[in-house]
């Protein structure tokens, strides 16, 4: 019987489809461009060895940094919020899956009914007997127990495509979490190296204060010997005070960066363990960028955009299916009687029903057209977003490869500059003691040396930051 209902309804549905198909708006389809250049910077190197495949524990060798990252992956509040969003998306998939399966339930009901004698039902009951010599009870009970089912037959795959779309968005949320993990690891690593740089800047200032104090003692002796004036003494005193003041700004920056790391790790302010002495000697690992096509697999943001695009395409199919008639089947079976003792008597107390219905949109077709066109616009938008994400990832890697090369060259020159200025401090101090150089030469040389050391530390920090950001740009950290 169900088969007959479905066949009859499908016959009507096919007729309706022929009628409605002509009125479905024609949309412009846009295909996605997934081609990438064969290499970065148009080089001939096709080596597929990729640093992104290295686990973050192997990529970062500092045990203090690794401990911070490990703690953050468990305690970071933003990451944990995202994990709950993934759970919500997973539940949405389960809900969509349930929509295209039959809905089955059981129920029971009880009640009493007293009708007027001078009504049609009352007159009928007064002239009928339940059994021979046994009248209808008054009031009349009504007991029922049964099962029912409702099912929308997914002829046009509307419900199944909706479930697949929810699945794609669930996978997209997982990739979004992976993207957050790479950002979190990079942010902690960059903050950690910034903290090491500030420690070295503070140490550099304190050493410079000691050098200036030594020079100040010499200037005072020179003044007592009438070889320099009070002006030289005051200039050196001012330089000492300036550097003493500067160290407190650096200390404040250290506190703020420490607390930034503590926030990312998900804990209240406390000292951050670190090894600052080896900062200048840290040498970034060599980077293997692989080939651009690997970005499509390694970058979580690209994978997320890909899943969003797949979901948007399915949404268009779901919206299109709304133009077509929907077929519903409902059925029920149970037992009903006015007395519990009669419920088990069959077939007298048995009841059942089976019905099929087909509904096609008529009045609200403009709303359906609008939803269909909006879904298609969202799909085209997802195509552009995917292509933009791939292009941005490629540019990101190219820029960082160039930055690493330029910073390496810059650091070598800065190191030579610092070495030359360190030697000039010794020479100028010696000449000043023998009255062969002016005090301003000593003062300016020390200023230049201090600033050069600051620039060397800053360049080293940029080198390490580029090393971190390159790992992130290649899609490392979430595997």
């Amino acid at each position: 019987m169900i088969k007959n209902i479905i066949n009859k309804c499908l016959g009507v549905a096919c007729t309706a489809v022929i009628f409605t198909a002509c009125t479905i708006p024609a949309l412009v389809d846009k295909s996605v461009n997934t081609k990438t250049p064969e290499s970065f910077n148009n080089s001939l190197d096709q080596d597929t060895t990729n640093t992104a495949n290295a686990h973050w524990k192997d990529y970062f060798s500092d045990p203090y940094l690794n401990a911070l990252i490990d703690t953050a992956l468990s305690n970071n509040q933003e990451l944990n919020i995202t994990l709950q969003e993934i759970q919500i998306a997973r539940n949405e998939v389960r809900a969509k899956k349930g929509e295209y399966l039959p809905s089955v339930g059981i129920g029971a009901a009880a009640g009493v009914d007293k009708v007027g004698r001078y009504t049609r039902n009352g007159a009928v009951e007064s002239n009928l007997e339940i059994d021979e010599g046994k009248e209808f009870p008054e009031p009349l009970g009504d007991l029922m127990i049964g099962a029912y089912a409702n099912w929308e037959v997914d002829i046009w795959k509307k419900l199944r495509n909706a479930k697949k779309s929810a699945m794609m968005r669930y996978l997209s949320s997982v990739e979004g979490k992976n993207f957050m993990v790479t950002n979190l690891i990079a942010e902690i690593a960059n903050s950690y190296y910034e903290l090491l740089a500030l420690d070295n800047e503070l140490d550099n200032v304190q050493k410079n204060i000691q050098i200036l104090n030594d020079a100040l003692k010499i200037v005072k002796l020179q003044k007592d010997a009438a070889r320099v004036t009070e002006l030289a003494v005051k200039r050196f005193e001012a330089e000492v005070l300036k550097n003493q003041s500067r160290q407190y700004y650096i200390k404040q920056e250290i506190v703020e960066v420490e607390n930034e790391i503590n926030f990312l790790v998900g804990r209240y302010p406390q000292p951050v363990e670190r090894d600052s002495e080896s900062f200048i000697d840290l040498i970034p690992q060599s980077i293997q960028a692989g080939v651009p096509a690997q970005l499509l697999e390694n970058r979580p943001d690209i994978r997320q955009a890909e899943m969003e695009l797949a979901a948007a395409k399915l949404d268009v199919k779901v919206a299109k299916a709304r133009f077509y008639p929907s077929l519903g089947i409902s059925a029920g079976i149970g037992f009903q009687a006015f007395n519990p003792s009669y419920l088990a008597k069959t077939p007298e107390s048995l009841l059942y029903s089976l019905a099929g219905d087909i509904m096609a949109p008529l009045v609200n077709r403009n709303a359906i057209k609008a939803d269909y066109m909006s879904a298609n616009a969202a799909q085209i938008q997802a195509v552009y977003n995917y292509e933009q994400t791939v292009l941005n990832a490629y540019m990101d890697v190219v820029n960082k490869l160039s930055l690493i090369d330029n910073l390496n060259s810059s650091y070598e020159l800065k190191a030579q500059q610092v070495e030359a200025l360190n030697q000039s401090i010794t020479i100028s101090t010696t000449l000043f003691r023998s009255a062969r150089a002016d005090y301003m030469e000593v003062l300016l040389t020390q200023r230049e040396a201090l600033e050069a050391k600051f620039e060397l530390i800053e360049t080293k920090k940029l080198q390490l930051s580029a090393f971190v950001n390159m790992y992130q740009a290649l899609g490392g950290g979430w595997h």
Side-chain angles (χ1 to χ4, degrees), residues 114-314:
K114 167 66 172 69
V115 297
R117 177 60 63 90
Y118 300 114
T119 63
R120 180 170 58 184
N121 290 340
V124 171
E125 289 180 6
S126 65
N127 289 291
L128 291 177
E129 295 180 340
I130 298 172
D131 290 323
E132 188 175 348
K134 190 173 183 180
E135 297 181 351
F136 274 84
E138 191 175 5
L140 183 66
D142 186 13
L143 302 173
M144 189 274 291
I145 183 169
Y148 62 90
N150 294 295
W151 182 35
E152 180 179 348
V153 183
D154 195 18
I155 306 172
W156 320 114
K157 296 184 179 181
K158 177 180 67 176
L159 302 178
R160 276 171 286 181
N161 284 331
K163 179 252 181 182
K164 290 179 181 178
S165 176
M167 175 61 75
M168 290 298 105
R169 288 197 162 85
Y170 161 69
L171 295 175
S172 173
S173 68
V174 173
E175 296 300 338
K177 184 270 295 183
N178 293 336
F179 188 56
M180 178 176 290
V181 168
T182 65
N183 290 341
L184 178 61
I185 291 174
E187 195 170 354
I188 291 175
N190 281 326
S191 297
Y192 180 79
Y193 289 132
E194 183 179 359
L195 190 58
L196 299 189
L198 289 170
D199 287 342
N200 279 263
E201 287 181 6
L202 181 61
D203 181 66
N204 190 28
V205 169
Q206 291 173 343
K207 287 180 178 177
N208 195 64
I209 291 172
Q210 183 60 46
I211 292 172
L212 287 170
N213 277 323
D214 292 341
L216 179 60
K217 292 177 183 178
I218 296 172
V219 171
K220 286 181 177 180
L221 292 174
Q222 295 277 25
K223 176 189 176 279
D224 293 340
R227 295 176 59 182
V228 297
T229 63
E230 182 69 15
L231 177 61
V233 175
K234 294 302 180 184
R235 291 296 298 268
F236 271 91
E237 284 181 349
E239 196 70 17
V240 171
L241 292 171
K242 184 183 77 173
N243 282 273
Q244 286 176 337
S245 173
R246 187 173 188 175
Q247 68 180 335
Y248 292 103
Y249 287 99
I250 298 175
K251 287 181 178 180
Q252 177 59 29
E253 288 186 74
I254 289 174
V255 171
E256 292 178 1
V257 175
E258 273 191 320
N259 287 335
E260 181 180 339
I261 292 174
N262 285 322
F263 178 78
L264 293 173
V265 172
R267 66 190 185 189
Y268 285 98
Q270 58 182 270
V272 174
E273 290 187 278
R274 55 193 183 270
D275 179 16
S276 301
E277 294 181 359
S278 60
F279 174 74
I280 289 295
D281 298 325
L282 288 175
I283 300 176
Q285 298 180 11
S286 59
I287 298 292
Q288 300 291 331
V291 295
Q294 292 174 316
L295 293 175
L296 305 182
E297 291 296 324
N298 290 335
R299 290 265 303 213
D301 55 336
I302 294 179
R303 292 165 63 91
Q304 182 180 19
E306 181 183 3
M307 299 303 171
E308 290 289 345
L309 174 58
K313 288 182 177 179
L314 289 167

Side-chain angles (χ1 to χ4, degrees), residues 446-464:
Q446 289 176 340
R447 281 182 184 175
E448 290 174 359
L450 177 63
E451 293 304 321
K453 289 175 183 177
F454 271 110
E455 291 177 4
L456 183 67
I457 293 170
E458 180 66 20
T459 304
K460 172 61 70 174
K461 185 189 77 173
L462 292 175
Q463 267 190 313
L464 294 171

